[in-house]
Amino acid sequence: MEPLEPRLLLAFTDATSAVFGTSSIAPTFFDYDNDGWQDAAGWTNHWRLWRNDEGVYSDEGPLSDGLQNGQIFAGDIDNDGWTDLLVGHQGYITVLRNDEGSGSFQKVTHVPPDNGIIGGGGSVGDFNNDGFLDFYRGGYVSNNSQLIVSVPDATQPGGRGFDLAWQGDGRYVRSVTSADYDEDGDLDVYTAAYFLQNNGLFQNQRNGQPFPFINVGLNESGHSVGAQWGDLDNDGDLDIFLGNFAHPGNPEPRVFRNEGPGGGYAMTDIGQRGIYFRESWASPALGDYDNDGNLDLWYGAFGPPSYSSSDTSALFRNTPNTSGPNFSDVTGVQGLGGLYNQAYDSWVDFDNDGDLDLVAGAKLFRNTLSNSNSWLKVDLGGDANTIGAIVKVTAGSTTRTRQVESGYGEAKFAPLIIHFGLGSHTGPVDVEITWLDGTTRSFQTAVNQTIDGGGGPDPDPTPTALPYVENFDDGVADSFEAVAAAWSVNGANRYHAAPEAGQDAISLVDLLDPLPSAVSMQATVRGLSVGGLSKNGVLVFDYQGENDFKFAGAFFGQNQLKIGHYDGTSWVAQATATESIATGTDYSLQLLLDGGTATLLVDGVEKLGHSFTGSLLDGDLGLGTNAAEATFDDFVLVGTTTLPFSENFDDGRANFLQPV
């Protein structure tokens, strides 16, 4: 008998009571305190805040006094680096500003008045391209949708309020989902309507109008409950899964394939792709539960009391081919039978183990993944430039595409962090990130980790004391903080500076204590030859700010070693030495700082020095490049001493002596 493929032996186990201390909860997940763990807002007769303490949740109390039930979404409304909340109620919205991760949320009172609209699903994003998050809300039952936009208001927490920019449509829109599906730098919207009305794909025109969209098709009718964007066939473009409730003879669920730039981003109906008939199918949730690199589908169904008890929700595993995704039901094998649709069903890696857990049927199921497939998570934050950002990860010959999304389906919300399954690939992967403003960053990184990608607020570095040694072998640049350009630890466990053309790269060490009177800073540097960029790598010292710092290092394109300063306009060399140095080769740079004197050694040999006016040890230290890509390794920062040197050991310490 042939053994089952390992991924088919997976199972989900109910972890609700163990994790939340309650048997039933419908949470929305977001990281309110920026600690890298997905916290939650959960409804238990009122909205409560739950803090994630490394996989176990603690009840932090009510989110806000008198907050009624509704559909909750998350995003950084004021661009301060903290994730805020928007709640859609029947007729009105509530906006809650995060008070810097304290667990307190301030209510924004400048919002549109209650107009009786009963909202369907919603989506948060910068729809008018003004640099702040807006809210597109469907009008289910009341057949009026709304576009609510951010406006400046100095009287409000965070300095932002919200006005109604547009209301209309005339359709019973039950689902709103947005994406930059045509990759032109703005968010487009797909709306799914109920009562056999037409759906619609609305393309953003950036025309300055209150409603900046035009309908470009996908006007199929149906009892549509929910839809979601996702690269279902791993061709690098975002497709649509449309979830339809269907009485016999009504339109059933569909997949629309994005034909990409070569096909003018046209959307082609490719049918059901293995989804069988079930009358009360509801809203989808896409996620790669087995980390095989393919987006799978959790598909909710309404079930009783209105429909048959056999109308249960289902898990479909996706095994795509060149014609599109192929879904097969694995619900029973995975231990997820007997569940029915809940508005907040979603995927989340709540325990940070790299596989997606599932909220379904008002319960949290832990994914007890037993295969060895690789994964990568990308956390870009959730501001106006990030929601809608597209991330492409290439592993071997396959490129997978995901986006940061805030709101899809019928009132569903996925965590802002992006998850990739990578199958059996174990080597480094290539990452390309495109933000809505057109900024693009590309770099290589190791698998089985969470990276920030250089977008949004970087996690706080861990402060360190001297001596400080960092070899990056754990895949993390502990105590380093990137202050200019994108930095990441690549698959070779080297710290990689990857600026755009014309952009400098700086990453600084966060030190607990002031520097001693003399220090030694050392790192292995390798210059990279990248088209359109310079070729250099330096040690940064006396960093006072982005327009005032000093440097010492190797300029490969000029075969020169330099010590100098940056004056806000130019990198000014104050000492130079000609040296035969080449890109692609490792060089050990050591910089000795003693009072106002800087001395540079290469591979242990003193090469040049320069005396500056004043102390060099009042500012920060770190690594950098002048509009160049480079990698760094084996960083060592220690206190040294000046000569003559004496030590009587009376304090019980051997200051500045190191055993060799």
Side-chain angles (χ1 to χ4, degrees):
M1 178 177 176
E2 290 291 324
L4 286 175
E5 187 179 358
R7 64 170 64 93
L8 297 181
L9 298 174
L10 303 177
F12 288 84
T13 59
D14 185 354
T16 316
S17 295
V19 171
F20 278 100
T22 181
S23 61
S24 178
I25 193 168
T28 291
F29 293 92
F30 69 111
D31 183 6
Y32 81 85
D33 52 4
N34 287 351
D35 66 350
W37 293 83
Q38 292 298 313
D39 310 301
W43 177 259
T44 54
N45 296 320
H46 53 276
W47 282 108
R48 304 188 71 81
L49 178 66
W50 298 77
R51 183 175 183 274
N52 188 338
D53 294 312
E54 299 187 3
V56 177
Y57 287 83
S58 58
D59 187 347
E60 301 296 299
L63 265 178
S64 179
D65 292 339
L67 186 63
Q68 300 299 307
N69 197 6
Q71 304 141 346
I72 196 163
F73 306 90
D76 182 2
I77 64 169
D78 52 2
N79 295 338
D80 67 347
W82 301 94
T83 302
D84 312 297
L85 298 175
L86 296 93
V87 188
H89 309 282
Q90 292 191 7
Y92 65 100
I93 68 169
T94 297
V95 179
L96 299 175
R97 179 181 179 267
N98 185 343
D99 187 13
E100 298 185 351
S102 65
S104 173
F105 288 79
Q106 305 161 327
K107 187 175 291 185
V108 175
T109 58
H110 180 163
V111 294
D114 187 339
N115 58 10
I117 284 185
I118 301 176
S123 185
V124 172
D126 183 12
F127 298 110
N128 59 4
N129 294 92
D130 68 347
F132 291 93
L133 292 176
D134 312 306
F135 187 27
Y136 193 125
R137 192 178 184 205
Y140 176 54
V141 178
S142 57
N143 76 318
N144 263 314
S145 297
Q146 295 177 326
L147 179 59
I148 299 168
V149 299
S150 175
V151 294
D153 185 343
T155 69
Q156 298 297 305
R160 305 299 297 183
F162 289 84
D163 284 345
L164 180 63
W166 168 86
Q167 179 174 301
D169 203 331
R171 295 178 303 133
Y172 298 96
V173 173
R174 197 161 182 171
S175 169
V176 178
T177 183
S178 60
D180 183 13
Y181 83 97
D182 52 1
E183 299 189 35
D184 64 350
D186 50 45
L187 281 174
D188 311 297
V189 173
Y190 182 71
T191 59
Y194 204 66
F195 299 127
L196 297 179
Q197 292 190 313
N198 290 340
N199 302 321
L201 175 59
F202 290 84
Q203 191 179 76
N204 198 327
Q205 300 297 296
R206 288 198 189 192
N207 55 16
Q209 298 299 310
F211 187 73
F213 303 96
I214 60 171
N215 189 329
V216 294
L218 294 191
N219 297 318
E220 291 78 3
S221 62
H223 288 298
S224 299
V225 178
Q228 188 176 8
W229 297 92
D231 183 8
L232 294 169
D233 51 4
N234 291 335
D235 67 349
D237 306 301
L238 295 173
D239 314 301
I240 294 176
F241 184 91
L242 172 63
N244 279 344
F245 176 100
H247 299 301
N250 290 159
E252 296 187 45
R254 323 292 299 166
V255 172
F256 296 97
R257 183 179 61 213
N258 188 337
E259 301 298 343
Y265 295 101
M267 306 298 292
T268 302
D269 184 347
I270 57 173
Q272 295 173 244
R273 310 304 300 180
I275 305 297
Y276 48 76
F277 176 79
R278 179 156 287 172
E279 184 174 20
S280 70
W281 284 133
S283 195
L286 298 172
D288 184 3
Y289 81 92
D290 55 0
N291 282 343
D292 68 348
N294 306 313
L295 281 177
D296 308 303
L297 168 67
W298 174 254
Y299 201 0
F302 288 117
S306 298
Y307 303 97
S308 169
S309 60
S310 63
D311 274 17
T312 55
S313 301
L315 177 63
F316 290 89
R317 182 168 178 255
N318 180 17
T319 53
N321 56 32
T322 55
S323 65
N326 286 291
F327 294 107
S328 57
D329 189 338
V330 294
T331 312
V333 173
Q334 303 306 335
L336 293 170
L339 299 172
Y340 302 102
N341 181 71
Q342 293 285 327
Y344 301 101
D345 288 3
S346 64
W347 298 99
V348 59
D349 183 12
F350 81 91
D351 51 7
N352 276 353
D353 64 352
D355 54 58
L356 292 176
D357 312 296
L358 178 66
V359 175
K363 294 185 180 297
L364 173 63
F365 292 89
R366 188 191 302 272
N367 187 345
T368 55
L369 187 68
S370 60
N371 65 23
S372 57
N373 285 342
S374 299
W375 55 273
L376 182 72
K377 293 195 295 183
V378 184
D379 187 356
L380 303 180
D383 62 22
N385 195 32
T386 294
I387 293 178
I390 292 175
V391 180
K392 297 177 184 267
V393 173
T394 300
S397 61
T398 302
T399 297
R400 299 172 174 89
T401 300
R402 306 285 186 266
Q403 68 151 344
V404 183
E405 60 184 342
S406 181
Y408 67 95
E410 185 182 30
K412 294 186 185 298
F413 174 79
L416 295 170
I417 191 169
I418 297 175
H419 170 269
F420 289 86
L422 298 169
S424 60
H425 185 90
T426 58
V429 294
D430 294 313
V431 180
E432 179 183 280
I433 305 171
T434 303
W435 282 265
L436 282 184
D437 67 2
T439 300
T440 299
R441 290 175 181 158
S442 301
F443 53 90
Q444 192 175 82
T445 191
V447 300
N448 299 332
Q449 64 169 328
T450 300
I451 61 174
D452 60 59
D458 292 334
D460 290 334
T462 303
T464 188
L466 300 186
Y468 171 56
V469 178
E470 174 61 270
N471 60 16
F472 310 107
D473 284 352
D474 60 355
V476 179
D478 297 309
S479 303
F480 273 94
E481 181 175 16
V483 297
W487 291 75
S488 65
V489 179
N490 65 19
N493 291 329
R494 301 174 69 97
Y495 200 27
H496 182 194
E500 300 172 31
Q503 182 186 34
D504 298 329
I506 304 290
S507 187
L508 303 175
V509 179
D510 188 14
L511 293 172
L512 284 169
D513 302 312
L515 291 169
S517 60
V519 300
S520 167
M521 178 167 52
Q522 185 172 348
T524 299
V525 61
R526 179 186 300 173
L528 302 180
S529 181
V530 178
L533 297 180
S534 300
K535 303 174 182 65
N536 56 76
V538 302
L539 305 175
V540 173
F541 61 102
D542 196 25
Y543 183 95
Q544 304 293 338
E546 61 181 352
N547 293 320
D548 183 8
F549 59 86
K550 298 178 177 67
F551 63 90
F555 287 73
F556 301 93
Q558 303 167 19
N559 278 325
Q560 283 191 329
L561 305 173
K562 298 182 183 182
I563 296 176
H565 75 280
Y566 181 70
D567 62 7
T569 303
S570 304
W571 288 55
V572 180
Q574 289 165 283
T576 62
T578 300
E579 186 78 9
S580 179
I581 47 178
T583 56
T585 301
D586 285 344
Y587 297 92
S588 176
L589 302 184
Q590 183 179 11
L591 180 65
L592 303 178
L593 300 175
D594 185 353
T597 301
T599 304
L600 180 65
L601 292 78
V602 178
D603 294 334
V605 179
E606 182 176 333
K607 295 294 182 178
L608 74 163
H610 183 74
S611 293
F612 293 82
T613 300
S615 173
L616 301 177
L617 298 168
D618 295 330
D620 293 318
L621 305 174
L623 304 169
T625 73
N626 174 204
E629 283 200 23
T631 64
F632 299 85
D633 202 357
D634 299 325
F635 182 87
V636 179
L637 180 60
V638 297
T640 62
T641 186
T642 57
L643 298 177
F645 167 64
S646 63
E647 172 61 271
N648 60 16
F649 310 106
D650 285 352
D651 60 356
R653 300 172 62 188
N655 298 300
F656 305 115
L657 293 173
Q658 293 181 301
V660 294

